[in-house]
Amino acid sequence: MSTVTLQTRLPEDVAPFCAAMGQLYGSVTHALFVALQRGKVLTDLKREYQARFRINARQFNAMATEVQGMIRSAQECRALQIEQLSGRIASAEKGLRALERQAAKLTRERAALRTARVKKYRANKHGQRQPCLRADETLAAVVLAEATKIDFNLHQKRRRLETLRLRLAHLEQSPLSVAFGSKKLWHAQFTLEENGYADHRTWLAEWQERRSSQFFLLGSGDETVGCQVCQLRPEGTLRVRVPDALANEYRQYVEIPGIRFAYGQEIVDAALALHAQPRARVAGEKRDTHAHGKPALSYRFLRKDGVWYVHLSTERVDPPIISRRVRGALGVDLNADTVAWAACDGEGNLARHGLIRTPVRDRSEQQIAATYGDACVRIVAAAQALGVPVVCEKLDFSKRKQELHERGRRYSRMLSSFAYSRFAGMLASACARSGVELVRVKPPYSSVIGLVKFLTIYGLESGGAAALVLARRALGLSERLPDCVTLRVPVDSGRHMWCHWARFKREHTAELRTRHVFFRSKRRPNRAGEVTLDVGGLAAPAGPGYQASGVAV
């Protein structure tokens, strides 16, 4: 089962009630966060807050769950920020050492130019003396300009390194904090005119409204209709239990009719049907013994642009898995602006392939989500038609993103817009909805193997060749080096095959950058009868200690 969240708009006449609930909920959660940060016990606070704010136990549990989730999220975010800052500091220190080596080298070159003896005259072709072109002076000027540039970069690198260290020290020593109402709006009070506020009173009104713009009602599978304080009936009426603090104005319950979800209403109907089944009780037990099969329904009321919405979260029963690995697999390779996929049969031979354009550069978050969502739907539809699982890579770009400041602009921009985690999450959701198994495999050397083995024989692009390697890897097929490349790589049967691919990658770095040359890769004999390798026009005869033990494709 997987958790889904559905959204629908609420009628305008319930806006005053939702606003009052948001203010009460905000007051309790803010006070509870401060109390928990001061080390108070939650059980003691429960009794105190029920009497102080006039709420019942279930309503307090929802608020406590929300605050505890905020605290855990803030702690995890702080640990992640510390890890990222540490990685950025290490990357900056590495770049600083490289600049220092360059500066030392230029210093030695300048010293050598100052002490070198230079001829002032030389003889021309007619034997006449003429002044020398003072190339040493030109070279000295170039070296001086380069040294000046390096000194400037060294100064800026030291400043950045010190800034990162101070930021890390502050993050490790400062107490945990959460901005209720967003940190961006909090900082807007210091520049009112630039953010469109006439005075501080206008900003304060929006700040208070933002801090009370939502409230959460926690559900449980062993409660009536999945939630004790908010119940959705099959005819579409939402019945909300009013806290005692607001009972004088809104009575005990508020009913909201006409609640229907444009997308996912069948999921809600299935959850309500499970709760409509008769309860199975055992003598002596007070709780429902069949509750483990009934999903919880939790509700979050949220105000966006002056309109109130309700978000319902529940569990969806996923369909059974229909894909089988004996039929093959479908590999997916995500790149900066394309998604390539390739399907193979049970023996690892190419069956189908495709390329989906996914331009995400300079696009909004919603546009990126829509682009990746369409690509995932098309991929899962192809896998569902073939009855095979989907295979993707297990990638983590956190360490690479820590080094963005040390890389070039083109690489940094490409990696910043590369939302692989979002794509992987959407692909997993699409597979779960369609009953297709999702297999995650290790990614090393998938692109290199695809270039060498499958780019030429199948006429694939580099992404499709890598996707085919991933699909074969999920089936447990080995990717040994073909005959045309094992001649330059020593074969050691005691080591893993990835070691040989690693050496091949090191020896052919230039060829791998221009991937089109692998369309001309071939294995040919020369006049002496020696077998040579021709990858990108570079031929090398087989030497002693080398053997062609790979499997040609």
Side-chain angles (χ1 to χ4, degrees):
M1 301 181 70
S2 56
T3 302
V4 295
T5 300
L6 312 174
Q7 170 187 294
T8 188
R9 185 171 178 172
L10 293 175
E12 296 182 358
D13 56 350
V14 299
F17 166 72
C18 293
M21 287 285 291
Q23 292 178 357
L24 177 62
Y25 182 87
S27 300
V28 178
T29 52
H30 303 160
L32 184 59
F33 176 81
V34 175
L36 290 177
Q37 287 298 100
R38 292 177 179 176
K40 295 186 178 181
V41 182
L42 185 63
T43 55
D44 299 337
L45 293 174
K46 184 174 183 178
R47 292 189 295 267
E48 176 187 348
Y49 279 38
Q50 284 184 250
R52 175 182 170 185
F53 294 99
R54 299 175 62 191
I55 56 177
N56 59 29
R58 196 57 186 162
Q59 293 165 346
F60 176 85
N61 291 341
M63 300 174 186
T65 302
E66 181 80 1
V67 173
Q68 288 175 336
M70 291 181 182
I71 294 176
R72 287 194 300 270
S73 177
Q75 292 173 347
E76 293 178 2
C77 289
R78 169 160 295 190
L80 181 60
Q81 291 175 354
I82 291 175
E83 180 183 357
Q84 291 178 346
L85 278 176
S86 301
R88 294 167 65 183
I89 289 174
S91 178
E93 291 175 346
K94 182 179 178 180
L96 180 62
R97 289 193 295 268
L99 287 176
E100 289 175 347
R101 289 193 296 268
Q102 294 180 18
K105 180 180 178 181
L106 290 175
T107 302
R108 291 193 299 269
E109 291 180 0
R110 293 177 62 186
L113 288 173
R114 285 194 297 267
T115 59
R117 298 178 61 182
V118 181
K119 295 181 179 181
K120 297 182 179 180
Y121 298 93
R122 67 178 180 87
N124 58 14
K125 63 180 180 179
H126 302 292
Q128 300 174 351
R129 294 182 63 191
Q130 65 180 15
C132 289
L133 297 177
R134 300 298 298 273
D136 60 310
E137 296 180 359
T138 305
L139 180 59
V142 172
V143 172
L144 179 60
E146 187 68 20
T148 303
K149 180 180 178 180
I150 293 297
D151 291 341
F152 176 79
N153 292 341
L154 272 173
H155 173 68
Q156 299 298 332
K157 185 70 66 176
R158 292 191 181 103
R159 287 185 58 193
R160 171 175 169 77
L161 184 59
E162 186 63 23
T163 301
L164 293 176
R165 288 172 177 171
L166 291 176
R167 191 182 303 174
L168 178 61
H170 173 74
L171 195 62
E172 292 175 342
Q173 298 173 3
S174 61
L176 192 68
S177 63
V178 174
F180 292 89
S182 81
K183 188 181 295 184
K184 180 180 179 181
L185 184 58
W186 169 257
H187 289 293
Q189 65 175 319
F190 305 109
T191 53
L192 295 175
E193 295 182 0
E194 296 178 1
N195 290 278
Y197 296 103
D199 50 15
H200 192 269
R201 183 177 301 176
T202 307
W203 171 87
L204 183 60
E206 183 174 349
W207 171 255
Q208 293 175 347
E209 181 181 355
R210 183 77 64 84
R211 286 164 62 91
S212 59
S213 60
Q214 62 175 317
F215 61 96
F216 177 65
L217 303 177
L218 181 65
S220 177
D222 58 355
E223 296 177 349
T224 305
V225 201
C227 185
Q228 179 180 345
V229 294
C230 186
Q231 299 174 357
L232 179 62
R233 296 175 180 175
E235 65 271 14
T237 301
L238 190 64
R239 191 166 182 258
V240 183
R241 174 70 163 85
V242 180
D244 294 341
L246 303 176
N248 293 334
E249 184 176 358
Y250 299 100
R251 298 185 179 180
Q252 188 175 7
Y253 292 96
V254 170
E255 293 188 353
I256 306 174
I259 300 299
R260 302 288 297 179
F261 297 91
Y263 301 97
Q265 181 63 38
E266 67 279 359
I267 301 176
V268 179
D269 295 339
L272 297 179
L274 287 176
H275 283 280
Q277 296 177 359
R279 297 184 175 185
R281 294 186 179 274
V282 180
E285 290 186 358
K286 297 182 179 181
R287 301 183 69 85
D288 186 5
T289 58
H290 190 63
H292 65 276
K294 298 181 180 180
L297 283 81
S298 299
Y299 301 85
R300 180 178 297 277
F301 293 77
L302 181 66
R303 179 171 51 201
K304 294 186 295 185
D305 300 329
V307 179
W308 282 91
Y309 296 85
V310 58
H311 294 192
L312 187 151
S313 299
T314 185
E315 293 181 345
R316 176 189 58 201
V317 179
D318 296 327
I321 300 296
I322 61 174
S323 59
R324 298 294 182 268
R325 298 195 189 187
V326 294
R327 302 170 185 164
L330 187 147
V332 179
D333 183 70
L334 175 65
N335 298 290
D337 55 355
T338 59
V339 177
W341 61 272
C344 65
D345 56 18
E347 297 179 354
N349 300 315
L350 180 66
R352 292 177 60 185
H353 66 92
L355 184 67
I356 304 174
R357 301 291 180 182
T358 55
V360 296
R361 182 175 174 178
D362 298 331
R363 291 198 172 187
S364 64
E365 185 177 356
Q366 291 78 11
Q367 290 174 331
I368 294 175
T371 302
Y372 282 158
D374 294 340
C376 292
V377 170
R378 293 173 61 181
I379 292 171
V380 173
Q384 195 174 17
L386 296 173
V388 297
V390 175
V391 185
C392 66
E393 303 169 291
K394 294 187 293 186
L395 295 176
D396 184 10
F397 292 98
S398 58
K399 292 185 179 180
R400 292 189 180 183
K401 289 187 177 181
Q402 294 171 4
E403 303 175 356
L404 287 182
H405 199 271
E406 313 302 326
R407 299 295 191 99
R409 294 183 179 179
R410 182 178 179 182
Y411 179 84
S412 301
R413 187 166 188 174
M414 180 274 295
L415 194 59
S416 298
S417 62
F418 195 62
Y420 182 80
S421 58
R422 169 170 296 184
F423 175 80
M426 299 178 73
L427 184 61
S429 179
C431 290
R433 292 195 304 267
S434 303
V436 177
E437 180 186 6
L438 180 64
V439 183
R440 300 180 185 272
V441 297
K442 296 181 180 180
Y445 311 110
S446 58
S447 298
V448 179
I449 297 173
L451 289 173
V452 176
K453 298 190 65 173
F454 305 115
L455 192 71
T456 305
I457 62 174
Y458 289 127
L460 300 171
E461 74 284 348
S462 58
L468 180 58
V469 173
L470 297 176
R472 288 168 55 89
R473 188 170 293 176
L475 299 179
L477 300 177
S478 177
E479 299 293 358
R480 290 183 282 181
L481 280 75
D483 291 342
C484 61
V485 297
T486 50
L487 299 175
R488 295 191 62 179
V489 181
V491 176
D492 184 1
S493 59
R495 304 186 67 183
H496 195 276
M497 190 53 60
W498 286 356
C499 299
H500 309 319
W501 284 112
R503 180 162 182 175
F504 174 83
K505 183 179 180 180
R506 291 193 300 268
E507 293 181 355
H508 297 279
T509 303
E511 291 82 5
L512 291 172
R513 291 177 180 174
T514 55
R515 300 183 174 186
H516 62 278
V517 302
F518 283 89
F519 279 105
R520 298 187 287 112
S521 301
K522 58 185 178 180
R523 179 176 178 267
R524 58 181 177 83
N526 57 18
R527 292 183 179 181
E530 296 176 338
V531 178
T532 60
L533 168 69
D534 189 1
V535 178
L538 297 179
Y546 292 79
Q547 51 181 327
S549 62
V551 178
V553 294

